[in-house]
C-alpha cells in the first residue's frame, strides 16, 4: 500500500466534502481537482470572517459525522 496516495485520497475526499459544505452555506466554490487539490477561497465573494466561520462550522460538522453523532 502506497501511503502517500492513500493520504492523498483522504485529503481529496476531505477537500471535496469541505467544498460541498461551503456551497451549502452559500459560497460559490469549485470542487478541488487532481491538478488543483486546494480550495480556492480567494475568489469567494464573502469577507474573511464569514469564510472562517463557515470553515470552522464545516470542520465541526465533518468531525461530528465521522464520530457518528
Amino acid at each position: 500500500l502506497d501511503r502517500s496516495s492513500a493520504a492523498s485520497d483522504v485529503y481529496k475526499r476531505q477537500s471535496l466534502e469541505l467544498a460541498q459544505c461551503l456551497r451549502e452555506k452559500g459560497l460559490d466554490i469549485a470542487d478541488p481537482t487532481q491538478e488543483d487539490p486546494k480550495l480556492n477561497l480567494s475568489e469567494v465573494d464573502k469577507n474573511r470572517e464569514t469564510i472562517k466561520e463557515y470553515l470552522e462550522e464545516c470542520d465541526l460538522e465533518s468531525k461530528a459525522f465521522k464520530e457518528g453523532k
Side-chain angles (χ1 to χ4, degrees):
L1 179 68
D2 180 1
R3 281 178 187 264
S4 64
S5 74
S8 156
D9 287 347
V10 168
Y11 178 77
K12 265 192 300 202
R13 193 179 73 245
Q14 288 173 337
S15 293
L16 274 171
E17 288 171 4
L18 182 57
Q20 287 176 319
C21 180
L22 291 171
R23 277 198 299 273
E24 287 168 9
K25 295 186 180 301
L27 295 186
D28 182 19
I29 190 163
D31 280 339
T33 62
Q34 187 73 35
E35 298 78 34
D36 190 14
K38 290 192 162 98
L39 297 181
N40 183 359
L41 297 173
S42 63
E43 296 174 6
V44 174
D45 188 25
K46 292 268 187 214
N47 70 43
R48 286 188 175 284
E49 282 305 306
T50 303
I51 294 171
K52 203 170 140 190
E53 282 175 31
Y54 288 169
L55 287 169
E56 287 171 6
E57 288 170 17
C58 288
D59 191 45
L60 290 173
E61 287 172 21
S62 72
K63 284 188 175 118
F65 179 73
K66 285 185 184 94
E67 291 167 9
K69 291 184 180 168

